[in-house]
Amino acid sequence: MSADPVPSTDEERLAQLGYQQELHRRLSGFSNFAVSFSIISILAGAITSYGIAMNAGGPLAITLGWLFVGVMVTFVALAMAEVCSAYPTAGALYWWAAALAKRNKAAWAWFVGWFNFLGEVAVTAAIDFGAAITTSAFLSLTFDIEVTTGRTFLVFLVIILVHGLLNTFGVSLVRLLSDVSAWWHLVGVAVIVVLLAVVPDNHKPISEVFFEVRNETGFTFAGAGAYAVLIGLLMAQYTYTGYDASAHVAEETHDASRAAPRGIVMSVVVSVIAGFILLFAITWSIQDYTAQLKTPLNLPPAQIFIDAVGHNTGTFLLFICMVAQWFCGMASVTANSRMAYAFARDGALPGSRLWKQVNPRTGTPTNSIWLCVTMSTLLVLPSLWNNTAYLAATSIAVIGLYIAYVGPVLLRRLSPDFQPGPWNLGRWSAPIGWIAIVWVIVICVLFVLPTASPITVSNFNYTIIAVAVVVGAATVWWLASARKWFTGPKQNLIEKAAHGEQTMPAPPE
């Protein structure tokens, strides 16, 4: 990298990276943190995927597994944040890959971008489908509506359409709702924990909360219990996704080279602590493990709430989770659409000219928002006939996102002339980066493995198929066509100058 002078404004730094300010820069450091914290959403991921760990691994996977995965994810977040500080752009992960690669820059950008796009679509699908599961349980408790597969899918459609509409209205509304969401999560967790600690007459023994292992997967081979615990780590690993959102909204954040990396790291650290307290309280309150795992509500935490604190109070606790999940899905659509916008801005999506357009009134990439809504809906369609569709969506999200997360980290480790930004890890950069890389390799293997025995059409883990289809299509497209014209991130200042266009002043804040 050249030793450019230190920019005095976010717009100057963005110009150094080759881009004119187009998106409205209206997010504070707290709002940047709030977007990622809302997408991680311990009241979404940890609640909707709680049954995964109840079924595979049990309390040990839920509590100690949460802490272990949280530590590993913190290493990934720290390594990502250092790169983000150097390159605060909406393109984020794939842009970093192009900047850091010594050779084949365009290919690195292409494949990291496609993994990121796959992960973003899958995490949006999983979040809103999880919100539909929770909302269906809430409607069942309040209006005695039976929970069915078809009704849950219809609820999902309503939720994701609302999130598309809210994002269409502009970044100011997203900022307001994200700020409210962060406080809703923190206060909501406190309310749930206090009520679950005080109200129930009986609590599970502390030793069982931390060390009990359950294996309801159907696998009976030697070591099946340990295998179940490893599979159950998906609950925590899936919840800790989406914090790349702080990078994707960097072009909309003040003091982005410091605020965005802080948003990445703090959203994870706060989630590790608050999530552990929440999961301890829920697991401590289990009254009948088998009955609550097999609940007709299709959401074990909902049954745990009802059995522990009574119908009305339990329904209220579920309401707290439901609202948090609606906030979470809205923030996920925000991050997803920004990544798609940036990728399309560089010509890497089919129909890029359409998806890169920015609504001049709202300052949002409206077309990209609805592209992401549509793609996420298609990914959830198998839920109508596959009862492990939610688990598959979570696995796809984890694999797609974490490969995209760690690709630039690997390139940063292989780039001796990397110039750190104002937020950096100093001498701890190398060990933290390599730990992050090894961990991602482990989880990519772990979460394509079978999750239930015997394997049937209804419980088949189609994660590997979905990942293979996207990667295969991206590879074929690259070899057949894209390698001839895709050159990596296109710098719009250079393009405008080449066409004799005048650059416009930065949008009003």
Side-chain angles (χ1 to χ4, degrees), residues 39-42 44-50 52 66 69 73 119 122-131 231-243 325 328-329 332 390-399 401-402 405 439 443 447:
I39 297 177
I40 293 175
S41 184
I42 53 179
I47 296 296
T48 57
S49 62
Y50 188 89
I52 293 174
W66 175 269
V69 173
V73 169
V123 82
T124 299
I127 288 168
D128 275 358
F129 189 46
I231 296 298
L233 295 180
L234 176 61
M235 180 208 75
Q237 191 67 59
Y238 158 64
T239 305
Y240 294 125
T241 53
Y243 48 89
Q325 289 167 25
C328 174
S332 183
Y390 174 69
L391 186 148
T394 60
S395 296
I396 295 165
V398 166
I399 291 171
L401 286 177
Y402 273 88
Y405 288 177
W439 176 244
I443 62 175
F447 298 144

Side-chain angles (χ1 to χ4, degrees), residues 94 109-110 113-114 342-352 477 485-486 490:
Y94 84 91
W110 177 266
W114 273 100
F343 211 29
R345 181 173 62 182
D346 297 325
L349 289 178
S352 286
W477 190 11
W485 51 262
F486 181 75
K490 295 179 180 178

Side-chain angles (χ1 to χ4, degrees), residues 85-175:
S85 181
Y87 310 120
T89 72
L93 308 169
Y94 84 91
W95 201 100
W96 306 344
L100 290 166
K102 290 299 180 186
R103 292 177 297 178
N104 302 315
K105 288 178 176 288
W108 274 101
W110 177 266
F111 285 100
V112 167
W114 273 100
F115 271 113
N116 193 193
F117 182 68
L118 167 66
E120 292 281 356
V121 168
V123 82
T124 299
I127 288 168
D128 275 358
F129 189 46
I133 293 171
T134 302
T135 302
S136 297
F138 178 79
L139 293 174
S140 176
L141 291 170
T142 51
F143 300 107
D144 199 26
I145 298 174
E146 182 185 359
V147 177
T148 66
T149 301
R151 286 172 182 163
T152 301
F153 184 77
L154 287 176
V155 172
F156 162 80
L157 287 179
V158 171
I159 292 172
I160 202 164
L161 287 173
V162 168
H163 289 156
L165 289 170
L166 289 173
N167 274 274
T168 299
F169 293 142
V171 71
S172 294
L173 178 61
V174 171
R175 176 188 61 192

